[in-house]
Amino acid sequence: MNKTVNINLGGIFFHIDEDAYLKLQGYLESIKRSLANSQGSDEIIADIEARIAELFNERLQNNKQVIRLREVDEIISIMGQPEDYVVDEEIFEDDPSTNQNKSTRSKKLFRDPDNSYISGVSSGLAHYFGIDAIWVRLAWILLVFGAGTGVLLYILLWILVPEAKTTAEKIMMTGEPVNISNIEKKIKDGFDNVSQVAKNVSDSVSKAAKNVDLKKGTNSIKSTSKTFFDSLADAVMILLKIFAKFIGILLIIIGASTLIALVIGLFSMGVADIIHIPGLDNLDLVNVGNTPIWLVSLAIFFAVGIPFFFLFYLGLKILINNLKSIGNIAKFTLLGLWILSIITLVIFGIRQASEHAFEESYIKKNELFIKANDTLMVKMTHSDKFNSSFSRDDFKLAHDDNGNKIMYSSDVRIMVKSTSDTVATLSIIKSANGRNYETAIARAKNINYHYEVKNKTLLLDAFLTTDIKNKYNDQEVDIILYLPENTVVYFSSNTEDFIRHNNHEGHLISDKNTNHFIRIMDNNSKCLDCPDEDFNVEVDTPEVKIDSDGIKVESDEVKINISSKGIEIKSDQ
């Protein structure tokens, strides 16, 4: 049974068994003796202890775990013995060949506060990629004034990339091994404050550290005796790392671009709705649920933006091994916001869809005093205020004669049917949607549509209007013109886009009949001045036969046979 000792190393509390404690204590004492006459020895010892505490933390699974002799031996192997390091540049001046054995160390990304203008992001990136910081700063300028993405990306890196505060972190930032020699060198460089001397010492210490690595066997990894399969494995790993970095960069670009687009959309839609910027009125027309636009924009921003933020964060994690975590509180907060946004959008969608649940029509019939053998002219009337050239199913905003805002649409359709009555009748069918019958019929009644008869000329408006409070609910107007038999009708060319023709519903006029005199007959029509009879329209009347075998109904498209064998239906379509 071993006795355990509680120690405070680098400001962190550890449990360590007695044998490991004695060895660690002797190790630190030997370091203190070797640095007794060194400038800044206290700071060097503090940084070495902080580095050892950091390495201990990496190996402990929980706070109650005891540090054993094995962990102490591993730390000493990483940090090195004090007698192995002599930070004196003159020793290495005659040994240039050792520079060739310098092993490649993986760098970690930190913000460099010692060479910063704002936060040290540029200097940290320069260390990480091995380039001069001036090129990184020029790239930020291009991103800010060129693509416009630099500010958000810089702020995110400022938040997520940790600052190199300790000497060990500053050494890891340059990719050098964090051991006694490099910690001592880094601190002495700060006291000397001479860049050229710092460079010479760095080269010398790096050579010394790599010589120690040679003593421990790492030379075999880089030696010329490496086998073919080892080289092949290294090449594959390099390719995989390059591919992973490429994926990380791609994720960062996609995530950042989407976040920037969402931010722009949030400000242009949501904020514009709050301060009532002109030009967004058309968007309010389709908002039949009267949901605040800024609230919808905010919900979309979180619902789409949070997944892409984590996509961006994943890309950074791929590129930056030591990226600072945003923390569980932030993660769960974002998750809660995302779930809340999805629920909010679902509620908005259901509310919006419910406004189109019912479609109702309001019908108004009027006599035109057009009799058999009369000739009726039909024309569409347009207005300078209302442009009917856009899509038939769309709505636009305009102002009436009193300056009030109204909606208008060209969703007007004309149909012609024959009637046995002696007088022509005009039936105007106004239709609209609503969340219930009462709402739908009220919106249908609030549709404004006008016509006029002058000297046996029927003038129909090419548009319908309604108050903007009714919103866009598929408002439309169907006009059915019932004409007595032997009536002659002439449709002007400007009615071509408004004529609806359907044989099965008994419509007698098609868009091909415009600019022609058409005689209305019993369930069919005849063109009086057409060059060929192809313009004549006949209603497809099915033939019905009833006999002992059953009932047969035949038309050009459908044949129905009802007999004792059952029902047989054949269609040509």
Side-chain angles (χ1 to χ4, degrees):
M1 180 181 295
N2 293 332
K3 185 187 296 185
T4 61
V5 179
N6 297 328
I7 63 171
N8 188 325
L9 188 63
I12 304 175
F13 186 77
F14 293 101
H15 302 286
I16 184 171
D17 66 34
E18 188 174 19
D19 294 338
Y21 170 73
L22 292 174
K23 187 164 187 177
L24 179 62
Q25 186 182 40
Y27 177 68
L28 292 175
E29 289 295 334
S30 63
I31 294 175
K32 290 179 181 179
R33 287 194 298 269
S34 66
L35 299 174
N37 299 322
S38 299
Q39 186 180 15
S41 59
D42 292 339
E43 187 175 351
I44 296 173
I45 293 297
D47 281 322
I48 291 174
E49 290 181 354
R51 177 56 178 165
I52 293 174
E54 180 182 346
L55 293 173
F56 277 149
N57 261 337
E58 293 176 358
R59 285 158 175 77
L60 295 179
Q61 297 179 354
N62 54 67
N63 294 332
K64 296 183 179 180
Q65 187 174 350
V66 177
I67 298 172
R68 297 167 296 176
L69 192 61
R70 185 180 66 183
E71 283 81 17
V72 174
D73 289 335
E74 290 178 2
I75 301 306
I76 294 175
S77 176
I78 294 172
M79 298 298 294
Q81 294 290 346
E83 59 268 19
D84 294 334
Y85 298 90
V86 181
V87 185
D88 188 351
E89 60 272 16
E90 294 178 358
I91 297 176
F92 307 106
E93 288 180 354
D94 299 329
D95 192 14
S97 61
T98 58
N99 189 49
Q100 298 174 357
N101 296 323
K102 184 178 181 178
S103 62
T104 303
R105 300 279 178 171
S106 60
K107 299 178 182 179
K108 292 187 177 182
L109 182 59
F110 290 94
R111 290 186 287 111
D112 184 5
D114 297 332
N115 300 289
S116 64
Y117 284 102
I118 300 176
S119 65
V121 171
S122 299
S123 298
L125 289 172
H127 287 302
Y128 187 77
F129 293 108
I131 59 177
D132 196 286
I134 187 64
W135 301 112
V136 181
R137 293 186 174 104
L138 287 174
W140 285 123
I141 294 174
L142 293 176
L143 286 174
V144 171
F145 294 100
T149 60
V151 175
L152 179 60
L153 185 58
Y154 189 91
I155 293 173
L156 287 173
L157 288 175
W158 189 349
I159 296 172
L160 296 174
V161 177
E163 180 182 350
K165 297 180 179 179
T166 66
T167 304
E169 290 174 343
K170 293 176 182 179
I171 293 174
M172 285 189 289
M173 181 173 59
T174 61
E176 297 179 3
V178 184
N179 49 36
I180 299 172
S181 176
N182 284 334
I183 291 174
E184 182 182 5
K185 177 186 72 67
K186 188 68 176 178
I187 294 175
K188 285 188 174 183
D189 287 347
F191 282 107
D192 294 340
N193 199 23
V194 180
S195 60
Q196 187 60 41
V197 175
K199 181 177 181 301
N200 293 337
V201 173
S202 176
D203 293 340
S204 301
V205 174
S206 178
K207 293 175 184 178
K210 302 316 173 185
N211 283 336
V212 174
D213 289 341
L214 287 174
K215 294 178 183 179
K216 295 180 180 179
T218 57
N219 184 51
S220 60
I221 299 174
K222 293 295 182 178
S223 66
T224 57
S225 63
K226 181 187 290 186
T227 64
F228 168 77
F229 294 103
D230 290 335
S231 301
L232 182 61
D234 289 344
V236 172
M237 289 302 298
I238 291 173
L239 290 176
L240 289 175
K241 289 180 180 180
I242 293 174
F243 179 73
K245 298 297 183 184
F246 172 77
I247 295 297
I249 293 173
L250 188 63
L251 293 178
I252 289 174
I253 293 174
I254 294 174
S257 301
T258 305
L259 289 173
I260 291 168
L262 288 172
V263 170
I264 295 173
L266 176 65
F267 278 92
S268 61
M269 300 296 292
V271 177
D273 175 63
I274 295 175
I275 61 178
H276 302 291
I277 293 179
L280 294 180
D281 295 330
N282 287 337
L283 183 63
D284 190 55
L285 292 181
V286 298
N287 183 20
V288 292
N290 291 319
T291 305
I293 300 298
W294 67 267
L295 188 57
V296 177
S297 301
L298 193 63
I300 294 175
F301 176 79
F302 285 121
V304 179
I306 290 175
F308 277 94
F309 169 77
F310 281 105
L311 196 69
F312 174 82
Y313 182 72
L314 176 60
L316 287 178
K317 289 286 287 185
I318 293 174
L319 287 180
I320 306 170
N321 296 329
N322 63 316
L323 185 68
K324 184 167 61 175
S325 175
I326 62 175
N328 289 331
I329 295 177
K331 290 177 182 178
F332 286 114
T333 301
L334 291 175
L335 178 61
L337 279 174
W338 182 77
I339 294 175
L340 182 62
S341 300
I342 294 296
I343 294 173
T344 303
L345 290 177
V346 170
I347 294 173
F348 291 164
I350 294 173
R351 185 176 179 181
Q352 185 81 1
S354 66
E355 292 292 337
H356 297 272
F358 289 83
E359 181 181 2
E360 299 297 335
S361 300
Y362 173 73
I363 303 175
K364 185 177 182 180
K365 291 186 177 181
N366 300 278
E367 290 187 352
L368 298 181
F369 302 104
I370 301 296
K371 301 180 180 179
N373 300 318
D374 285 346
T375 299
L376 176 66
M377 310 291 289
V378 181
K379 295 181 179 179
M380 307 300 295
T381 58
H382 297 269
S383 173
D384 294 336
K385 294 182 179 180
F386 309 123
N387 177 19
S388 59
S389 62
F390 59 94
S391 176
R392 187 175 301 276
D393 296 330
D394 289 343
F395 262 83
K396 285 194 175 182
L397 280 175
H399 293 82
D400 59 16
D401 295 335
N402 298 322
N404 299 318
K405 284 185 178 180
I406 58 173
M407 293 189 302
Y408 72 95
S409 170
S410 59
D411 197 354
V412 178
R413 294 174 294 182
I414 306 172
M415 294 156 279
V416 176
K417 294 183 178 182
S418 63
T419 179
S420 58
D421 295 340
T422 58
V423 179
T425 304
L426 184 67
S427 180
I428 299 177
I429 305 173
K430 303 176 183 178
S431 303
N433 294 339
R435 64 177 177 272
N436 50 45
Y437 169 80
E438 291 77 12
T439 305
I441 199 68
R443 286 171 177 163
K445 289 182 178 180
N446 287 328
I447 295 175
N448 300 315
Y449 185 79
H450 301 93
Y451 73 94
E452 186 178 6
V453 180
K454 288 184 179 180
N455 299 324
K456 295 185 179 182
T457 299
L458 177 61
L459 302 176
L460 300 171
D461 280 354
F463 52 87
L464 62 93
T465 63
T466 186
D467 195 278
I468 58 172
K469 67 181 181 181
N470 296 313
K471 305 289 182 156
Y472 173 59
N473 279 275
D474 294 327
Q475 289 93 335
E476 62 183 20
V477 170
D478 288 331
I479 300 172
I480 301 180
L481 183 60
Y482 294 95
L483 296 177
E485 296 177 15
N486 293 321
T487 303
V488 177
V489 62
Y490 180 91
F491 281 87
S492 175
S493 58
N494 67 358
T495 63
E496 181 177 352
D497 294 334
F498 298 87
I499 295 177
R500 176 184 174 186
H501 173 241
N502 191 327
N503 276 346
H504 299 292
E505 296 182 8
H507 302 169
L508 302 178
I509 300 295
S510 72
D511 54 357
K512 296 180 180 179
N513 298 137
T514 58
N515 288 331
H516 292 286
F517 289 93
I518 307 298
R519 182 179 296 280
I520 302 301
M521 304 171 67
D522 183 15
N523 287 328
N524 60 64
S525 62
K526 181 178 180 181
C527 182
L528 301 180
D529 58 348
C530 296
D532 58 65
E533 291 302 319
D534 291 338
F535 285 90
N536 292 341
V537 178
E538 295 185 358
V539 177
D540 183 15
T541 303
E543 180 180 354
V544 181
K545 295 181 180 180
I546 303 175
D547 52 26
S548 59
D549 295 332
I551 302 174
K552 294 182 179 180
V553 181
E554 296 184 0
S555 68
D556 293 340
E557 298 179 353
V558 180
K559 295 181 180 180
I560 302 175
N561 186 11
I562 303 175
S563 63
S564 58
K565 297 180 180 179
I567 301 175
E568 182 182 2
I569 301 175
K570 294 182 180 180
S571 176
D572 295 337
Q573 295 181 347

